[in-house]
Amino acid sequence: MPSLQGLSRRQMLRFAGVAAVASLGGRTGGVTASVGDTGGAPPFCVARPRQTEGPYYVDARLERSDLRSDPTDGTRKSGVPVALAFHVFRFAEDACTPLAGAVVDLWQCDALGVYSGVQDVAGRFDTREQRFLRGYQVTDSRGMARFTTLYPGWYSGRAVHIHFKIRTAPEADLGLDFTSQLYFDDALTDRVHQQAPYAERGSRNVRNDGDGIYRRSGGDELVLDLTESGEGYRGAFRIALEMR
């Protein structure tokens, strides 16, 4: 696996920046590796940013890979499917190795910009009894966690995104809790949102470069590289977490 000495000067600077800001109290910080599936090639441990958890996180404790249904009544949300694979690595002693047993949590809005499990701060919805588009997977021996979800819709003030949280032994003093967000290419979002049911919501009012969180917190380092797959898309996200 590549060592820190094998990184370019630009990668070294990016690594140092996130390693310096990602530590929080007794918990360790984190750095991410390259976004996208490299066909099994070793990942480069380059820095990516943490981002805010936001107001809609719910510790739903739903272990499942397909997030599209609401477990309270079995209904499935409609939209363009996205197969998403997380490749989670441990960065220590200048090397990246697969991190098994990490909990990867995802949560997002549906095609119409609605989250489950919460009462909207703007009063648009109250879905406190529902749990669609939420869930977690535990990484396997290869550090992988796979999900089937939907291409997100939009809501006012934010670019299109998915939230994620990765935890290791969260009850321990040295447990890691790394939270960030994934973004999408604006041109691809334009195409997807022309389809039903997204089109019912109308045109979004914030693109990536107009989103303050994206702009201030390195959103360009968190854009998913998606490829067409059947009726939807697939993509992979590689992340290496610094373990001290």
Side-chain angles (χ1 to χ4, degrees):
M1 307 300 282
S3 70
L4 187 60
Q5 284 75 17
L7 300 178
S8 69
R9 181 176 182 276
R10 178 172 178 267
Q11 290 169 330
M12 289 275 285
L13 290 172
R14 290 162 62 195
F15 176 87
V18 168
V21 302
S23 295
L24 180 63
R27 298 182 183 275
T28 62
V31 297
T32 69
S34 58
V35 177
D37 193 345
T38 60
F44 293 102
C45 285
V46 296
R48 310 281 189 181
R50 289 177 182 263
Q51 289 199 343
T52 180
E53 180 179 277
Y56 299 127
Y57 173 66
V58 175
D59 194 2
R61 300 181 184 274
L62 287 172
E63 184 175 5
R64 57 180 184 162
S65 60
D66 192 332
L67 309 184
R68 295 173 292 177
S69 65
D70 184 349
T72 63
D73 59 14
T75 58
R76 176 175 287 189
K77 286 289 181 177
S78 58
V80 174
V82 174
L84 178 57
F86 273 76
H87 300 248
V88 184
F89 293 85
R90 176 180 185 266
F91 182 83
E93 299 178 356
D94 296 348
C96 281
T97 55
L99 179 60
V103 176
V104 182
D105 244 310
L106 260 62
W107 68 101
Q108 66 173 87
C109 69
D110 67 8
L112 300 180
V114 175
Y115 283 86
S116 68
V118 294
Q119 185 171 21
D120 181 42
V121 294
R124 286 200 306 119
F125 54 84
D126 186 347
T127 57
R128 283 176 287 183
E129 301 304 315
Q130 299 173 287
R131 292 294 185 270
F132 56 82
L133 297 174
R134 294 183 182 275
Y136 77 87
Q137 286 284 276
V138 178
T139 56
D140 62 18
S141 60
R142 298 173 298 167
M144 293 187 65
R146 296 183 180 274
F147 298 89
T148 301
T149 187
L150 296 176
Y151 204 102
W154 68 275
Y155 54 96
S156 187
R158 288 303 317 276
V160 174
H161 62 281
I162 291 177
H163 296 266
F164 73 91
K165 183 186 291 286
I166 301 176
R167 290 175 286 181
T168 62
E171 71 284 352
D173 288 342
L174 295 179
L176 182 143
D177 187 327
F178 183 93
T179 303
S180 196
Q181 301 178 33
L182 304 175
Y183 295 89
F184 299 82
D185 176 75
D186 275 323
L188 177 58
T189 297
D190 288 341
R191 293 197 297 273
V192 171
H193 283 193
Q194 289 174 0
Q195 306 174 42
Y198 302 91
E200 297 175 25
R201 179 116 174 92
S203 299
R204 58 200 165 109
N205 58 15
V206 177
R207 300 173 75 81
N208 287 342
D209 59 6
D211 184 307
I213 297 173
Y214 177 98
R215 200 171 56 247
R216 292 190 301 269
S217 303
D220 59 335
E221 301 290 339
L222 296 163
V223 177
L224 277 172
D225 183 14
L226 296 180
T227 58
E228 292 187 19
S229 178
E231 297 180 352
Y233 297 90
R234 63 180 175 86
F237 185 73
R238 296 180 183 273
I239 178 169
L241 303 175
E242 185 182 18
M243 311 292 284
R244 295 175 181 169

